[in-house]
Amino acid sequence: MRLPRTVLMSVALALALGGCATAPLEQAGSLRSYDRMSDANGLVTRSKIRVNKKDVLAAKTIRIASTVFPARADVPLTEKERRLVANAISRELCLRLSERFRIVAADDDADLTVQATVTHAAPTSPTASGASQALSIAKTVALPGVPVPVPRLPVGLGSLSVEAEARDFAGFQKAAMVWARSANSITNSARVANEGDAYDLAADFGADFAKLVTTGDSPFGGIPALPPIESIPVRFGGAPKYVACEAFGRFPGVTGFAGEKLGLPPGWTDSGAKESPANGPAAPPAHEASPEQTLTQ
């Protein structure tokens, strides 16, 4: 009996997701408050969110503090690898939030300040990624010109967990997210680097949190929106819309896209942040004692 194509696709997706590393949904203590957060999960993402929709929609300016990725004994990434992943989050946030907000530098007043912290990351297995790339090359040689995708081997996949919040000028939390996602065999490229999957997932987190702050709604569900035309030159290495975003360096552009397809380590194509970024980490938050300041979605 021949199975319908939709059934085959569902089985393939289930097998691919079944090989994912489990990303922990952790509360690391970097947020001002974790009260009244509600579950908001996507197909491959787990998260908890809360947002004061009225206040985030009223905001016009935003400051993006450098993402923090502290060293952990159970996360075997080097300082350089952690910096690259953290900066990828900050840079994606700056691009996405530029669509609605005016991004300001550290010494300027802002309606909101965004701070993200990486709470956990499972490393990618360079050996498994290399084997996946070898299979892809073998398919290209054996079946030249045949557009048959070769999924990654469902082993050695990485993951990323992040939490972030947007606070107003008085320090009150206006949006918050605890987020976890694992790489899978279908949608994530095989990079031969410890930080490969965490680096790619950093952009996914940046997109999700930016949508929460921009719209005041959950970023999961609904029809995905096409990126605005003005963002395309930025992704190809052009100057960002706001000078403050230069603190996080420019997107690696064509070189980066090619490096991803070839499975190269992110550090080979991404120069990272400038040596002296304008936006440093925000001050550690104090305990939030005013529940009325927060409205859940």
Side-chain angles (χ1 to χ4, degrees):
M1 182 178 66
R2 186 174 182 179
L3 294 175
R5 181 179 299 180
T6 54
V7 174
L8 293 174
M9 292 178 64
S10 298
V11 171
L13 180 60
L15 291 173
L17 298 180
C20 296
T22 302
L25 196 64
E26 297 186 349
Q27 295 182 5
S30 74
L31 303 187
R32 189 179 183 96
S33 174
Y34 295 87
D35 295 338
R36 302 182 180 181
M37 300 189 81
S38 58
D39 291 333
N41 299 322
L43 179 63
V44 292
T45 306
R46 294 187 300 143
S47 80
K48 292 181 178 292
I49 63 172
R50 75 173 187 176
V51 61
N52 185 316
K53 184 171 183 175
K54 178 182 176 181
D55 287 351
V56 296
L57 292 183
K60 294 180 174 58
T61 58
I62 201 164
R63 175 203 167 197
I64 301 173
S66 296
T67 299
V68 177
F69 190 169
R72 287 180 48 151
D74 59 342
V75 179
L77 298 184
T78 67
E79 181 182 356
K80 181 179 180 180
E81 291 165 348
R82 295 197 311 274
R83 284 202 310 266
L84 199 62
V85 172
N87 189 69
I89 292 175
S90 300
R91 185 169 55 204
E92 188 71 24
L93 284 171
C94 216
L95 174 62
R96 297 277 185 164
L97 291 170
S98 295
E99 295 173 14
R100 191 175 79 78
F101 298 96
R102 179 166 62 86
I103 312 299
V104 302
D107 54 354
D108 291 332
D109 294 331
D111 297 326
L112 296 173
T113 295
V114 167
Q115 175 73 71
T117 300
V118 177
T119 59
H120 193 272
T124 305
S125 168
T127 301
S129 293
S132 294
Q133 286 293 329
L135 289 175
S136 180
I137 293 172
K139 172 264 170 186
T140 302
V141 174
L143 300 171
V146 179
V148 179
V150 180
R152 286 174 63 177
L153 296 174
V155 293
L157 304 176
S159 68
L160 184 69
S161 302
V162 192
E163 58 185 23
E165 65 184 355
R167 303 193 298 269
D168 67 8
F169 65 91
F172 289 109
Q173 186 186 85
K174 297 303 177 181
M177 173 181 281
V178 180
W179 184 97
R181 182 167 175 177
S182 302
N184 63 74
S185 300
I186 297 176
T187 63
N188 296 105
S189 300
R191 291 181 181 266
V192 186
N194 290 328
E195 77 281 15
D197 287 321
Y199 176 85
D200 290 339
L201 292 170
D204 297 320
F205 168 77
D208 287 343
F209 187 71
K211 186 173 181 180
L212 176 69
V213 177
T214 299
T215 66
D217 293 321
S218 170
F220 308 108
I223 301 175
L226 294 175
I229 296 178
E230 58 267 24
S231 71
I232 296 177
V234 180
R235 289 201 180 277
F236 277 88
K241 182 177 180 180
Y242 296 105
V243 175
C245 292
E246 291 278 15
F248 309 117
R250 297 191 180 185
F251 285 86
V254 175
T255 303
F257 293 130
E260 179 182 0
K261 295 300 182 184
L262 294 173
L264 301 180
W268 288 22
T269 57
D270 190 342
S271 299
K274 292 185 176 180
E275 292 185 5
S276 300
N279 296 347
H287 175 69
E288 185 173 33
S290 302
E292 67 272 16
Q293 292 291 330
T294 305
L295 300 176
T296 55
Q297 184 180 25

